[in-house]
Amino acid sequence: MGKIDAWVAGLRVLEDWGVERVYGLPAGSLNSLMDAFEKEQDRIDFIQVRHEEIGGLAAAMQYKFSGKLGVALGSAGPGATHLYNGLYDAKYDGVPMLAIIGQRKLSELNYDGFQEFNQNPYFADVAYYNRRVMFAEQLPKVLDEAIRAAYANRGPAVVEVPVSFGWEEIDEDSFFTSASARPKNVTYKVDEDDLARAVEMLNDAERPIIYAGRGTRFAGEDVVKLSQKIKAPIAVTGINFDTFDYDYEALLGSAARVSWKPANEAFPQADVALILGNNFPFTEAMHLYDNFKHVIQVDIDPYHLGKRQKVDIAFLADAGEVTRQLTEKVDAVEQSDWYDANVDNIKNWKEYLNHIETKSDGPLKYFNVYNAINEVADEDAMFSVDVGNVTQTSVRHLHMTPKNSWATSGIFATMGNGAPGAIAAQYDNPDRQVWSLSGDGGFMMVPQAITTQVQYKMPIINVVFTNKQFGFIKDEQEDLNDNFFGVFLEDENFAKMAEAQGAVAYTVTEISQLKETFEKAVADSKAGKTVLIDAKVAAERPIPLEGQHVLKLDPRMTDETEVKEVKERYDAQDLKPFADFLEAHGLEDKRAQAHLDDGIITDDSKE
């Protein structure tokens, strides 16, 4: 019977589960694992990052782009703690992920040694599986358990390995993996009685709306077919924009703050909502569903059913399958004033976006940069987007289709995920164009990610929107605080920083520079070079549309002086309130009545 180092056996387990790379840094508490990587380097890659947080975020983002388990390393103590943001991003966004944590050898524990601390309790909240390996032969078994738990719970698993175990030899035939037992497809039975009730509810609906979350990611065409048949516009969650074509006439966009105007206006006017694979976290705070007469919800996670709202009919089922069955059975609606009013409102919104995106004069702004990206991006380009105003502007101004891939830190919303996520996207998609989009605040948390991109010859195009402020928080302070405080940043020369790391870099300060610069950047990327573009954009707020903000565009609801001020500030002279289109189609404006009744939909207060 042959022998094998325990950590080599552990890597064989990862390999059997399809893991192709692990992100991390070497460390004394990981030295036995480094030996194993050297021995297995033809089968699995060790990706050297410059900060464990970058590795953790890359591992979390990997599943979002490729559906493949991401794995990150952290040394005992500080390396382990640096993984936390990636682990919580994975937990909140429902992403399987494995974190391997180093530890001193067992005989040295409990002496308050160098970098020693009790790590298992530290990961108790974030991890669905959290174990320390207790003897060498257990190492491959615990890793297999961890990966199975990560997939089963759609979240992080953490395994701590004392360094000495990795060098111990174990029998080659003393372990196995359960990778082959992982089900390829999980089927759910759709309850026929509930289906019949849902069909009746949709047939009776006068103002139906479809709210499509990430659960519809592979069923976008099916959702569109249902939308067209019952004349229901489609709203999406922010993390699900790449499921639908930007040009679909009835795409309302996302709701709440990271939003399109048509979605925020449609929700309080609708009467029946079909919520598909959606766990939007601002539902209660924004009173998003308060005016619905009926709610039908579909989700594969029973914990999500009824979590955000009172539900009339709940399906524990795949969103695509329920959508297809509903489409077969519902009555076709030939014409709908409700649908037509929404289509007109969406058209007006997109005309506004096009107006500000294509301006050729004035200061450089976010949307001018997005116009340049849209003009040169490949049709299947991938976008790793940081959080903050860059998330909001990306969902508004990137003209995506289902050929694209788009991901961010959705619910945990940790700054700094853009550049690490691009690394993960590029590895699994070497033939696709990959973009990283970040604000200057988010990018400065992970600038060393550029070094990793250059080191591994990754042709990523990194765009940094520099406006010398934490814009998203500054906008909140404008609404809620007495004054601005702690939100302003010093300017950085990101181009010089990137050049020092070995990337090709450009700085853009004017609209007239965009076309040539972005064409050069794409050419550099196609030549295999890492690129960074520092876009010095105006420190201006994107038009706010959440809560009471959307009312400020309607003279029926707000003083005309305030309407004029809002339209002038955001260059929105031709942007019309939804009430205009409802009125044009002979429909009542329910929100006006709600406003008169002291407002149903409100912003969060300071409390």
Side-chain angles (χ1 to χ4, degrees), residues 405-452:
S405 294
W406 185 97
T408 187
S409 177
I411 299 180
F412 194 55
T414 179
M415 293 174 64
N417 70 288
I423 293 172
Q426 190 74 81
Y427 263 118
D428 284 319
N429 302 274
D431 298 325
R432 291 177 67 178
Q433 185 188 69
V434 175
W435 298 76
S436 162
L437 308 180
S438 303
D440 46 351
F443 181 76
M444 273 304 291
M445 292 189 168
V446 292
Q448 60 272 61
I450 300 299
T451 299
T452 298

Side-chain angles (χ1 to χ4, degrees), residues 23 59 73-74 77 93 110 115 150 158 194 200-201 221 253-254 273 280 329 394 428 454 485 507 527 573-574:
Y23 304 95
L73 304 179
D93 279 1
N110 299 327
Q115 293 187 328
V158 175
D194 286 342
E200 182 180 4
M201 197 170 285
E221 291 184 3
S254 56
F280 184 60
K329 297 179 180 297
S394 291
D428 284 319
V454 171
F485 191 82
T507 300
Q573 289 80 5
D574 295 327

Side-chain angles (χ1 to χ4, degrees), residues 554-569:
D554 191 346
R556 303 169 185 82
M557 316 286 280
T558 308
D559 182 84
E560 290 190 10
T561 301
E562 187 171 19
V563 174
K564 182 179 179 182
E565 291 174 352
V566 169
K567 289 193 172 188
E568 287 180 351
R569 177 177 177 180

Side-chain angles (χ1 to χ4, degrees), residues 251-269:
L251 181 63
L252 294 165
S254 56
R257 182 170 178 187
V258 182
S259 65
W260 282 17
K261 170 178 166 288
N264 280 341
E265 291 178 309
F267 272 93
Q269 304 284 353

Side-chain angles (χ1 to χ4, degrees), residues 245-299:
D245 194 320
Y246 173 90
D247 290 328
Y248 178 50
E249 66 172 8
L251 181 63
L252 294 165
S254 56
R257 182 170 178 187
V258 182
S259 65
W260 282 17
K261 170 178 166 288
N264 280 341
E265 291 178 309
F267 272 93
Q269 304 284 353
D271 62 354
V272 176
L274 175 62
I275 302 172
L276 302 171
N278 177 343
N279 182 36
F280 184 60
F282 290 99
T283 299
E284 295 95 336
M286 298 300 296
H287 301 271
L288 205 58
Y289 301 159
D290 282 10
N291 295 307
F292 292 149
K293 182 178 179 182
H294 296 297
V295 173
I296 305 165
Q297 186 182 5
V298 185
D299 208 289

Side-chain angles (χ1 to χ4, degrees), residues 242-445:
D242 52 348
T243 295
F244 301 95
D245 194 320
Y246 173 90
D247 290 328
Y248 178 50
E249 66 172 8
L251 181 63
L252 294 165
S254 56
R257 182 170 178 187
V258 182
S259 65
W260 282 17
K261 170 178 166 288
N264 280 341
E265 291 178 309
F267 272 93
Q269 304 284 353
D271 62 354
V272 176
L274 175 62
I275 302 172
L276 302 171
N278 177 343
N279 182 36
F280 184 60
F282 290 99
T283 299
E284 295 95 336
M286 298 300 296
H287 301 271
L288 205 58
Y289 301 159
D290 282 10
N291 295 307
F292 292 149
K293 182 178 179 182
H294 296 297
V295 173
I296 305 165
Q297 186 182 5
V298 185
D299 208 289
I300 61 171
D301 187 343
Y303 181 69
H304 290 163
L305 294 173
K307 175 180 174 64
R308 304 290 184 186
Q309 67 289 317
K310 184 178 182 298
V311 174
D312 296 277
I313 304 171
F315 292 94
L316 180 62
D318 175 72
E321 181 58 30
V322 173
T323 298
R324 288 185 288 272
Q325 293 195 34
L326 286 173
T327 304
E328 290 178 4
K329 297 179 180 297
V330 293
D331 297 336
V333 177
E334 297 303 322
Q335 190 276 332
S336 163
D337 290 325
W338 161 250
Y339 180 86
D340 293 343
N342 277 282
V343 168
D344 289 347
N345 194 33
I346 293 165
K347 181 180 178 182
N348 177 247
W349 167 248
K350 289 179 180 176
E351 288 171 347
Y352 165 69
L353 295 181
N354 181 70
H355 166 67
I356 59 176
E357 288 167 2
T358 59
K359 293 195 71 171
S360 58
D361 58 350
L364 181 66
K365 299 184 181 181
Y366 274 104
F367 21 87
N368 309 129
V369 180
Y370 283 103
N371 185 56
I373 294 172
N374 289 329
E375 288 183 345
V376 299
D378 289 348
E379 66 174 1
D380 63 346
M382 308 181 77
F383 299 96
S384 180
V385 180
D386 217 317
V387 301
N389 274 351
V390 70
T391 311
Q392 182 183 69
T393 51
S394 291
V395 302
R396 289 181 181 178
H397 300 288
L398 284 178
H399 297 185
M400 291 183 290
T401 76
K403 293 181 180 180
N404 297 117
S405 294
W406 185 97
T408 187
S409 177
I411 299 180
F412 194 55
T414 179
M415 293 174 64
N417 70 288
I423 293 172
Q426 190 74 81
Y427 263 118
D428 284 319
N429 302 274
D431 298 325
R432 291 177 67 178
Q433 185 188 69
V434 175
W435 298 76
S436 162
L437 308 180
S438 303
D440 46 351
F443 181 76
M444 273 304 291
M445 292 189 168

